[in-house]
Amino acid sequence: MTVALADRRPRSRTEGGRTGKDRTGKDRTGKDRTGKGRTGTSAWTPWLYLLPALAVLGGLLVYPVYQLGLISFLEYTQAQVSGGQPTSFQGLGNYAALFRDAQFREVLLATVVFAAACVAGTLVVGCALAVLLTRVRALPRLALMLAALGAWATPAVTGSTVWVFLFDADFGPVNKLLGLGDLSWTYGRYSAFALVLLEVVWCSFPFVMVTVYAGIRAVPTEVLEAAALDGASPWRIWRSVTAPLLRPILAVVTIQSVIWDFKVFTQIYVMTNGGGIAGQNLVLNVYAYQKAFASSQYSLGAAIGVVMLLILLAVTLVYLRLLRRRGEEL
């Protein structure tokens, strides 16, 4: 009787209550008084494992970005590089000169429009082929995968050179097949941009295709079968069922595509011979290269690089903010 009454006595918070600690000194989170978890590891242990990677990223990313920003605030031309004149601080003078330049504003607008078209084309082609991969047999799926990975693995210079040959006015097979005669695709501004866009989509869609295909395979088949039994068309299933489930994956491939396509350099430089006739096909990356290395205005080239970095950061942050408002987790 005494034992039973003793067992019925109220427990104190220090003996395993909800808000207290158990007899081992650990609270509800499994951490003891030293800040260690149930496995005995400190909360700083993951950061110790990440420290080598953070150190490498700091050396390869943070320091170059710092130098880029520093040069953009200086007067840094060939005279300063050779030591003929001292380096002087310009403040925001380089940025003011850029935005007063009508050509810079035109190139900025062209870059935004061109990158948006490339991203849209890449996502449409990649997602369409990813859906196609789920509907074909094993052998055609393998052939499509190998062909796409071959395009993905092709160096940008090689792919650009091949596309220029395919659309060459004199020897290209595309003009002969389409009966276009001696049409020069790289002569006109819009035709040259269209040709470069096709090459960028060709070498970029495999990443989207493979990533989205992996996401589709992870979607429960019961959900897709239920939608099909309810009479939903394949397009409605993709728009209302598959795409919402794949939104985190689509966010990743969209951000990656924006970053890649906004800073396109090789395709424009190779296929339009440095930016087209009278610079009609310039984008920001090629324009920065011309300012920095062709004109030896390194500070202006650095300022263009900083502007590109800020634009990409703004686009990425806005896109992630919109996703978080919808309750998506990345």
Side-chain angles (χ1 to χ4, degrees):
M1 187 67 177
T2 305
V3 175
L5 290 175
D7 292 337
R8 293 179 182 176
R9 73 184 190 276
R11 293 185 178 182
S12 64
R13 294 191 176 184
T14 58
E15 293 181 342
R18 287 188 175 181
T19 59
K21 298 180 180 179
D22 58 16
R23 295 179 180 178
T24 62
K26 295 181 179 180
D27 56 15
R28 288 183 300 166
T29 61
K31 294 182 179 180
D32 57 16
R33 297 184 181 89
T34 62
K36 295 183 178 181
R38 292 186 177 90
T39 58
T41 59
S42 173
W44 293 98
T45 301
W47 292 102
L48 293 178
Y49 286 110
L50 290 174
L51 187 59
L54 293 176
V56 173
L57 288 177
L60 297 179
L61 181 62
V62 176
Y63 182 73
V65 171
Y66 163 75
Q67 287 291 338
L68 184 72
L70 178 61
I71 293 176
S72 68
F73 290 109
L74 303 176
E75 182 183 3
Y76 201 69
T77 61
Q78 187 61 40
Q80 284 75 30
V81 173
S82 60
Q85 295 181 6
T87 303
S88 60
F89 182 74
Q90 297 293 314
L92 298 177
N94 292 321
Y95 296 95
L98 275 182
F99 285 98
R100 285 196 303 266
D101 187 3
Q103 186 180 17
F104 171 77
R105 296 194 299 269
E106 181 181 353
V107 172
L108 176 60
L109 177 61
T111 304
V112 172
V113 174
F114 176 74
C118 289
V119 171
T122 302
L123 292 178
V124 170
V125 174
C127 292
L129 292 179
V131 175
L132 179 63
L133 286 176
T134 63
R135 299 180 178 274
V136 297
R137 297 181 180 273
L139 189 59
R141 182 167 59 247
L142 178 62
L144 181 56
M145 279 280 194
L146 292 177
L149 292 178
W152 194 11
T154 303
V157 175
T158 304
S160 301
T161 304
V162 171
W163 275 76
V164 169
F165 170 75
L166 291 176
F167 288 84
D168 185 76
D170 297 322
F171 306 103
V174 174
N175 282 6
K176 295 180 180 179
L177 290 176
L178 298 179
L180 298 178
D182 57 351
L183 172 66
S184 177
W185 289 79
T186 58
Y187 182 79
R189 182 186 186 189
Y190 298 106
S191 61
F193 270 129
L195 181 59
V196 178
L197 184 146
L198 292 175
E199 201 280 336
V200 171
V201 172
W202 173 78
C203 68
S204 302
F205 83 85
F207 170 74
V208 178
M209 183 191 74
V210 172
T211 306
V212 175
Y213 172 71
I216 294 176
R217 300 298 296 180
V219 174
T221 56
E222 296 82 1
V223 178
L224 302 178
E225 292 174 356
L229 290 175
D230 288 340
S233 63
W235 166 246
R236 183 63 183 273
I237 293 175
W238 164 260
R239 184 171 61 88
S240 302
V241 179
T242 309
L245 293 175
L246 295 179
R247 190 171 288 125
I249 294 178
L250 293 176
V252 173
V253 297
T254 301
I255 293 173
Q256 287 280 54
S257 299
V258 168
I259 294 174
W260 289 342
D261 296 339
F262 191 80
K263 61 184 185 64
V264 164
F265 174 83
T266 305
Q267 290 88 344
I268 289 287
Y269 194 83
V270 173
M271 299 179 70
T272 65
N273 195 21
I277 300 174
Q280 64 181 3
N281 296 114
L282 283 175
V283 292
L284 282 180
N285 232 353
V286 179
Y287 187 63
Y289 175 83
Q290 289 187 354
K291 285 293 184 182
F293 299 102
S295 303
S296 298
Q297 297 177 343
Y298 303 106
S299 53
L300 288 179
I304 297 173
V306 172
V307 171
M308 293 179 61
L309 177 63
L310 294 178
I311 292 175
L312 290 176
L313 284 177
V315 171
T316 303
L317 292 177
V318 169
Y319 192 73
L320 293 178
R321 185 177 180 85
L322 291 176
L323 288 177
R324 295 197 64 176
R325 284 183 178 178
R326 296 177 181 177
E328 299 293 335
E329 295 183 0
L330 297 178

